[in-house]
DNA sequence: AATGGCAGCAACCGCATGACC
DNA sequence: GGGTCATGCGGTTGCTGCCAT
């Protein structure tokens, strides 16, 4: 096997907060070449960051489909309910909340909901098992297993395969409604630059995702969960070779990873 | 106005998992 | 089958800004 070279290992890696300059570099690079190999991308992207750091920054902050701002009541309820069912499986909970990242939900849980959760439990007389749950939350705070199985009674476990409470707002996000009007085609470079580099409203971002993209733009090999082209081999490329972003497929992929839409809409 | 405490959030770290050879 | 690597996940840390004193 040809061992992949660590592009990161030569130059000292920056840590800490990302600068707007770094954000621009990463965004511009991904916009142009797509995501092909996180560990090797920083170098050609002119970033003194680890691939891990780049990935995290993109996934949690720069991705155009990130929904920022306060959590709605429905989202809170979804988080609470999902946490009850799934424990600390933040990525699974995030999958139920389009536009929200696991990190964001995790932070939100620790800063807001956990307290409320505790208060609710302490004041509620729901069931004896729930009281036990409350204590377990405290007990499991340092549990590295990450899954609060103790929180899940049999009925909850059996519920893991679906039937999760969903936010009503999701019903407006049906990708099938995306326009295919060529007249609506946009300057993607400009749009993604604007949408990604500035913190625009979710509505704007949403409309961005609904923009159609021509098939000529597609050079799809494979997309990762963020919808960008992912290199399928590990042979390593000195330079990325894919022109490659299909935002339509990005959108599609994102939705493919979501729970059954009909189920979510209570159909 | 200074400062100490606290909350919120971005980012890092370590581990698990899966793909590839 | 075992080693290596990339990626994803969850826990934790540390920075920053706000607020009370």
């Amino acid at each position: 096997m040809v061992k992949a070279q660590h592009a990161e290992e030569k130059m000292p890696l920056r840590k800490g907060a990302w600068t707007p300059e770094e954000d621009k570099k990463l965004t511009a690079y991904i916009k142009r070449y797509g995501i092909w190999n996180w560990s090797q991308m920083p170098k050609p992207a002119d970033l003194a960051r680890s691939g891990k750091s780049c990935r995290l920054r993109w996934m949690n902050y720069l991705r155009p489909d990130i929904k920022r701002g306060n959590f709605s009541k429905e989202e809170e309820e979804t988080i609470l309910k999902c946490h009850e069912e799934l424990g600390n499986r933040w990525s699974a909970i995030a999958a139920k909340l389009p536009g929200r990242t696991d990190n964001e939900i995790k932070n939100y849980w620790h800063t807001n909901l956990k307290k409320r959760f505790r208060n609710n439990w302490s004041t509620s007389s729901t069931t004896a098992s729930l009281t036990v749950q409350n204590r377990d939350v405290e007990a499991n705070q340092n549990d590295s297993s990450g899954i609060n199985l103790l929180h899940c009674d049999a009925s909850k476990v059996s519920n893991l395969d679906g039937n999760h409470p969903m936010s009503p707002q999701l019903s407006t996000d049906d990708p099938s409604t995306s326009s295919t009007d060529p007249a609506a085609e946009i300057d993607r470079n400009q749009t993604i630059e604007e949408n990604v580099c500035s913190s625009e409203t979710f509505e704007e971002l949403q409309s961005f995702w609904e923009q159609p993209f021509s098939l000529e733009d597609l050079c799809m090999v494979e997309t990762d969960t963020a919808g960008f082209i992912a290199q399928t081999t590990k042979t390593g490329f000195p330079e990325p070779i894919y022109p490659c972003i299909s935002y339509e497929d990005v959108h599609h992929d994102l939705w493919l990873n979501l729970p059954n839409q009909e189920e979510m809409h209570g159909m």
Side-chain angles (χ1 to χ4, degrees):
Chain A
M1 158 183 185
V2 179
K3 292 183 182 176
Q5 295 174 351
H6 284 251
E8 305 163 7
E9 65 192 3
K10 298 291 181 197
M11 59 179 161
L13 298 179
R14 255 182 62 81
K15 286 186 180 180
W18 280 64
T19 65
E21 182 78 9
E22 289 176 310
D23 283 348
K24 274 185 191 169
K25 283 182 182 175
L26 180 59
T27 303
Y29 186 85
I30 291 175
K31 179 190 74 181
R32 183 164 185 186
Y33 299 109
I35 295 164
W36 51 287
N37 183 317
W38 283 116
S39 61
Q40 294 178 58
M41 277 167 52
K43 199 175 181 180
D46 191 30
L47 287 164
R49 294 276 181 173
S50 70
K52 226 173 177 180
S53 179
C54 291
R55 179 189 158 272
L56 205 67
R57 183 64 176 169
W58 175 256
M59 292 298 191
N60 289 337
Y61 197 84
L62 298 174
R63 241 169 54 194
D65 57 314
I66 297 289
K67 179 179 176 181
R68 309 203 74 80
N70 295 336
F71 281 74
S72 68
K73 197 82 184 169
E74 289 80 8
E75 286 175 317
E76 282 187 10
E77 286 169 11
T78 303
I79 294 169
L80 286 168
K81 186 91 184 215
C82 287
H83 188 269
E84 195 180 326
E85 293 174 359
L86 302 168
N88 293 353
R89 294 173 58 198
W90 305 114
S91 62
I93 296 173
K96 313 288 185 188
L97 293 164
R100 300 294 188 183
T101 67
D102 53 354
N103 205 34
E104 195 179 9
I105 292 169
K106 181 172 56 182
N107 284 333
Y108 190 68
W109 172 264
H110 287 306
T111 57
N112 293 283
L113 300 180
K114 194 164 72 175
K115 297 177 209 160
R116 205 177 312 170
F117 187 60
R118 263 190 236 150
N119 290 339
N120 284 347
W121 286 136
S122 62
T123 56
S124 102
S125 57
T126 320
T127 65
S129 70
L130 296 183
T131 308
V132 170
Q133 278 189 331
N134 185 27
R135 275 185 261 122
D136 288 343
V137 169
E138 197 70 46
N140 282 330
Q141 277 174 10
N142 295 320
D143 177 8
S144 62
S145 72
I147 302 174
N148 296 327
L149 289 177
L150 288 175
H151 293 184
C152 305
D153 61 30
S155 66
K156 287 170 188 167
V157 172
S158 69
N159 212 15
L160 287 173
D161 57 349
N163 223 4
H164 307 300
M166 282 299 112
S167 162
Q169 75 186 58
L170 300 179
S171 61
T172 61
D173 290 336
D174 185 353
S176 68
T177 61
S178 296
S179 163
T180 54
D181 178 8
E185 189 150 305
I186 54 172
D187 179 340
R188 289 177 299 139
N189 287 352
Q190 183 186 357
T191 304
I192 192 167
E193 199 77 13
E194 289 172 357
N195 281 289
V196 171
C197 293
S198 63
S199 300
E200 309 253 343
T201 65
F202 175 65
E203 286 73 21
E204 286 169 319
L205 291 173
Q206 192 173 23
S207 69
F208 162 72
W209 287 110
E210 288 171 1
Q211 301 298 319
F213 302 101
S214 64
L215 287 174
E216 292 78 20
D217 291 336
L218 306 185
C219 183
M220 299 303 290
V221 179
E222 188 175 320
T223 59
D224 69 355
T225 53
F228 293 92
I229 297 234
Q231 175 59 23
T232 55
T233 73
K234 294 190 176 184
T235 52
F237 282 84
E239 290 294 333
I241 58 171
Y242 301 111
C244 66
I245 299 174
S246 162
Y247 294 105
E248 198 166 53
D249 279 5
V250 169
H251 200 178
H252 185 239
D253 261 13
L254 284 169
W255 283 99
L256 281 180
N257 291 329
L258 293 175
N260 182 304
Q261 297 295 300
E262 290 177 359
E263 185 182 319
M264 288 166 52
H265 301 154
M267 294 177 180

